[in-house]
Amino acid sequence: MSGSAVERREDVMVLQRYKLQIASHFVAQTGWTAEELANLMEVPPDRTLGDLALPCFKLAKTMRLAPPVIAQALAQDLQTCTIVHHAEATGGYLNVRLTRETVTTDTLVHLRSNETVFQDARGAGQTVAIDLSSPNIAKPFSMGHLRSTVIGTALANLFETSGYKTVRINHLGDWGTQFGKIIVAYRTYGDEATVSANPITELNRLYVQFHEEANERPELDDAARAAFKRLEDGNEEDLTLWRYMIDVSMKEFEKTYRLLGTKFDYNLGESFYNDKMDAVVDELREKGLLEESDGAEVVQLGETMPPCLIRRSDGATLYPTRDLAAALYRARHFHADHLLYVVGGEQRLHFQQVFAVLRKMGYTFADACEHIAFGLMRMGGKKMSTRKGQIVRLQEVLDEAITRARAIIEEKNPHLQNADAVARAVGVGAVIFNDLKTYRLHDIDFTMDTALAFDGETGPYVQYAHARTCSILRKAGVLQAGPSVEGWVTSLPNTHAEDAVDDATWYLTLTLQGIEAIRVRAIEERDPSLVAKHALDIAQAFNRFYHDCPILTSDGELKAMRLALTDAVRVALLHAMTWLGIEAPSEI
RNA sequence: GUCUCAGUAGCUCAGUUGGAUAGAGCAACAGCCUUCUAAGCUGUGGGUCGGGGGUUCGAGUCCCUCCUGAGACGCCA
């Protein structure tokens, strides 16, 4: 497949072994170490050139020979290498074709061993606290919050594959001046009956209306600030209204989370830190970091950053104050070694300031804090804004996705068992995958038809490929449930029959074994989109293999090899989808 | 204005430490279901990698500069 990981030249772990093995033949002649040579090696842009290549330009400098001459000479060194089928010089490149049968068998055995492919122990003993989702109380759960939810969940899942303990924290927006605004709006033009009939919609409408009116009457903003101050001071009447808002919001959020399959270890809203902020302010003062400025209290951060506001001139706390308290709590209470904040990129400066303040306070864990930023979800090129009422509700999108998936099942697979459950898995999977496949930092311009596409590079495409593997294995009588080692087809071919490994089989094998490196890289770069893209590559390579190579009607060792490969695909896709938080039905 | 991020096919996007002729998907068009699920496969067309300099054997990738877009920039979160 031309878009496969093979052509993307991923540095894959099984291939790394082969690189080293090949490179070891060149050490004597070049004077370079095998590691240095292996690092130079790459996958040729055009697969017809070979499976691996060594560009000889850098060698030319130390060997003082022309690159084509070096390539020619090195080709001779590979005559005795068992994993090399053919080697030839093309210009300054040495192109190597691997022995397909040997490598395919090796790869299947390696994947089946499952020692490091789908899990490892790099993070054993370490805890990573992840701040994710964090929707705002009294506002609809929008497509914008989906990003934080699915990226955070995927990262948590991936970290766990490396043995990290994760703490998933939903940092709910349940505190702040916005509640002053809603309280003022509710008291001014709200109506209890209307609100209780449709709480979030109505509360959000009040919020939008407040902003419209505050443009004309700025004194409303003062009233809102005063209302929030009353809340902070413990006014029981306002607190009752506030608790009501949390209650109705959480009920609606939980419905969405159930659909998405999102789980948290803790729902800790910003208000949770109310009684922990005085200590932070005191500590800042004791450490001599707090300064008065225009009636407010701030921490100066030098030339490169604006000061961080700690307390408003009326004494009320601010967002940074709560995040400081939260960070200290996470470091102390959860013993977090890494603190990840999956929050939109527009808050970059805010987190830089909070981390800088922690550093000035002398906390070394400040260096373990990371803002995992992501791009905006836009609509029609414009930023979604709750205040302007310009948002897409996630629930609407999910409902539409499920409806469309159900219609397609009705059309293509009318006798499917559990059709409703599968429609949910596919519809929701499409929405989640669409979000995760895009590079984190890129903005997404939301359109319903793109988010709900079921063809091409989509979640359903991957789910479909997975269901196909299950279907074949089921018919062969070897399908096992789950991603366990026991699930693997046990009989691997042990002969190296010529032409057993055709192009489709070979490219599938190469793509498949890349999943190990992708998983590790996705964790290192905190980028789930790598996994999503690689799942597409595997699915694509498998679909080609499926088309070109009959499996059930083949015989003997060829059939065994194809079944083993099919099962390896099944397990790899199942893992990848599980990491991404997407269901993998065995039949769709 | 300052800072940050981005600019690759009509649209949405891939392109690891600089490597060979820049790739997918969607949309369009043309093929493939008596054969393991056609949510699939194959093929065709489609490009000054925003512009211009520079670094070097080699730049979509690194540096500088300009243009464009988005975001942030003290009492919202």
Side-chain angles (χ1 to χ4, degrees):
Chain A
M1 305 276 79
S2 48
S4 73
V6 182
E7 274 201 15
R8 284 185 190 154
R9 287 166 263 158
E10 308 292 358
D11 185 17
V12 289
M13 304 225 172
V14 181
L15 279 193
Q16 185 65 21
R17 278 206 328 250
Y18 295 134
K19 284 181 183 176
L20 285 167
Q21 195 173 335
I22 292 167
S24 65
H25 292 264
F26 305 148
V27 173
Q29 189 163 172
T30 61
W32 289 47
T33 68
E35 287 74 20
E36 287 169 336
L37 291 161
N39 285 337
L40 279 181
M41 278 196 242
E42 58 194 37
V43 177
D46 181 350
R47 62 174 53 132
T48 61
L49 290 167
D51 301 312
L52 283 173
L54 178 68
C56 299
F57 307 99
K58 290 197 170 85
L59 296 174
K61 287 189 176 136
T62 60
M63 294 172 69
R64 289 195 281 182
L65 287 168
V69 175
I70 297 170
Q72 287 281 2
L74 295 182
Q76 300 305 312
D77 291 341
L78 292 177
Q79 299 287 350
T80 58
C81 186
T82 54
I83 58 163
V84 173
H85 178 258
H86 181 71
E88 72 178 344
T90 309
Y93 292 87
L94 171 65
N95 289 320
V96 176
R97 196 171 295 281
L98 298 171
T99 311
R100 290 183 172 188
E101 289 73 19
T102 308
V103 172
T104 299
T105 308
D106 277 5
T107 301
L108 286 172
V109 170
H110 179 66
L111 286 170
R112 189 172 64 162
S113 77
N114 195 21
E115 280 169 4
T116 59
V117 181
F118 303 114
Q119 64 194 51
D120 63 65
R122 273 163 235 256
Q126 294 188 62
T127 298
V128 43
I130 304 183
D131 180 316
L132 73 158
S133 195
S134 313
N136 294 316
I137 297 299
K139 292 185 194 171
F141 197 107
S142 76
M143 284 301 291
H145 283 289
L146 177 68
R147 299 218 73 187
S148 173
T149 309
V150 298
I151 292 170
T153 297
L155 286 178
N157 291 339
L158 284 164
F159 270 97
E160 283 168 7
T161 68
S162 267
Y164 291 90
K165 181 181 176 225
T166 64
V167 183
R168 304 170 193 225
I169 305 164
N170 195 2
H171 190 66
L172 294 151
D174 66 356
W175 204 245
T177 311
Q178 53 178 329
F179 289 94
K181 292 176 182 177
I182 301 173
I183 287 170
V184 168
Y186 182 81
R187 296 264 153 81
T188 314
Y189 28 73
D191 159 52
E192 196 179 334
T194 321
V195 169
S196 62
N198 223 332
I200 295 204
T201 307
E202 183 61 14
L203 289 170
N204 187 54
R205 196 190 64 71
L206 289 170
Y207 185 68
V208 172
Q209 188 178 349
F210 176 91
H211 274 277
E212 283 165 1
E213 304 217 355
N215 282 337
E216 310 293 318
R217 300 162 51 200
E219 67 271 20
L220 279 175
D221 283 322
D222 295 330
R225 271 191 285 273
F228 176 56
K229 188 67 169 58
R230 278 204 309 277
L231 205 57
E232 274 212 314
D233 292 341
N235 179 291
E236 198 49 47
E237 205 178 329
D238 290 327
L239 280 172
T240 303
L241 184 53
W242 171 73
R243 285 191 203 101
Y244 169 77
M245 290 192 264
I246 292 178
D247 187 50
V248 293
S249 299
M250 285 310 289
K251 281 198 178 113
E252 208 159 302
F253 294 163
E254 272 157 22
K255 189 178 152 202
T256 303
Y257 287 136
R258 261 200 303 281
L259 207 47
L260 291 173
T262 310
K263 297 251 189 340
F264 300 100
D265 296 300
Y266 297 94
N267 279 303
L268 296 178
E270 294 181 66
S271 65
F272 175 76
Y273 303 98
N274 282 349
D275 61 1
K276 298 167 184 64
M277 283 189 287
D278 283 345
V280 174
V281 176
D282 290 345
E283 187 178 336
L284 285 166
R285 191 174 291 116
E286 281 162 23
K287 289 181 173 168
L289 298 171
L290 217 51
E291 289 180 24
E292 189 274 338
S293 172
D294 295 333
E297 292 183 279
V298 307
V299 175
Q300 295 290 347
L301 296 171
E303 296 295 313
T304 53
M305 256 185 273
C308 182
L309 254 75
I310 301 299
R311 220 197 260 277
R312 286 192 333 208
S313 42
D314 65 359
T317 59
L318 285 151
Y319 180 42
T321 327
R322 285 190 283 283
D323 264 350
L324 286 171
L328 286 167
Y329 184 82
R330 289 171 193 177
R332 288 170 179 159
H333 192 82
F334 297 131
H335 307 288
D337 301 288
H338 300 272
L339 286 84
L340 269 44
Y341 294 82
V342 187
V343 181
E346 70 271 19
Q347 294 188 30
R348 193 181 297 268
L349 178 60
H350 161 74
F351 283 109
Q352 284 176 350
Q353 290 177 306
V354 169
F355 301 160
V357 171
L358 289 170
R359 214 164 282 128
K360 289 197 97 169
M361 292 171 85
Y363 291 110
T364 51
F365 76 80
D367 295 325
C369 293
E370 290 176 59
H371 176 206
I372 310 298
F374 54 83
L376 284 179
M377 179 83 72
R378 279 204 290 262
M379 206 168 54
K382 283 183 286 190
K383 185 183 179 181
M384 289 189 193
S385 162
T386 323
R387 295 182 203 180
K388 293 172 189 155
Q390 219 187 33
I391 51 150
V392 180
R393 285 167 182 255
L394 174 61
Q395 192 63 46
E396 286 172 21
V397 177
L398 293 176
D399 289 345
E400 177 65 18
I402 294 165
T403 303
R404 291 193 194 185
R406 191 69 183 78
I408 293 174
I409 290 169
E410 205 54 53
E411 177 196 334
K412 308 201 180 211
N413 199 356
H415 302 300
L416 179 65
Q417 302 285 310
N418 309 318
D420 288 330
V422 173
R424 248 190 335 269
V426 172
V428 173
V431 174
I432 294 177
F433 193 92
N434 177 253
D435 199 316
L436 286 178
K437 77 172 179 188
T438 306
Y439 177 60
R440 238 181 47 216
L441 289 168
H442 279 163
D443 292 348
I444 295 181
D445 196 354
F446 179 83
T447 55
M448 199 64 124
D449 286 338
T450 306
L452 300 192
F454 292 168
D455 299 330
E457 296 172 335
T458 65
Y461 179 90
V462 179
Q463 288 171 321
Y464 184 70
H466 171 263
R468 274 183 155 174
T469 64
C470 292
S471 177
I472 289 169
L473 296 165
R474 197 183 301 120
K475 288 185 177 169
V478 294
L479 177 64
Q480 307 280 327
S484 70
V485 177
E486 303 308 313
W488 290 75
V489 171
T490 48
S491 62
L492 284 170
N494 53 20
T495 65
H496 302 159
E498 276 305 313
D499 78 2
V501 186
D502 65 350
D503 285 354
T505 306
W506 180 235
Y507 300 139
L508 176 57
T509 303
L510 290 178
T511 306
L512 198 53
Q513 54 79 50
I515 195 166
E516 180 173 356
I518 287 289
R519 180 180 61 81
V520 172
R521 213 181 121 202
I523 295 168
E524 282 171 356
E525 299 185 16
R526 285 90 164 102
D527 183 7
S529 76
L530 294 171
V531 172
K533 284 169 212 153
H534 196 252
L536 285 172
D537 287 337
I538 293 173
Q540 196 177 31
F542 174 73
N543 278 333
R544 161 104 182 274
F545 165 77
Y546 176 91
H547 181 267
D548 288 2
C549 304
I551 300 163
L552 296 174
T553 54
S554 57
D555 297 306
E557 290 185 336
L558 185 61
K559 179 174 183 178
M561 187 271 285
R562 287 177 176 170
L563 280 172
L565 189 55
T566 300
D567 203 40
V569 170
R570 182 197 129 247
V571 173
L573 290 181
L574 183 55
H575 272 106
M577 285 189 275
T578 304
W579 299 337
L580 296 177
I582 291 171
E583 285 187 67
S586 61
E587 211 177 333
I588 72 174

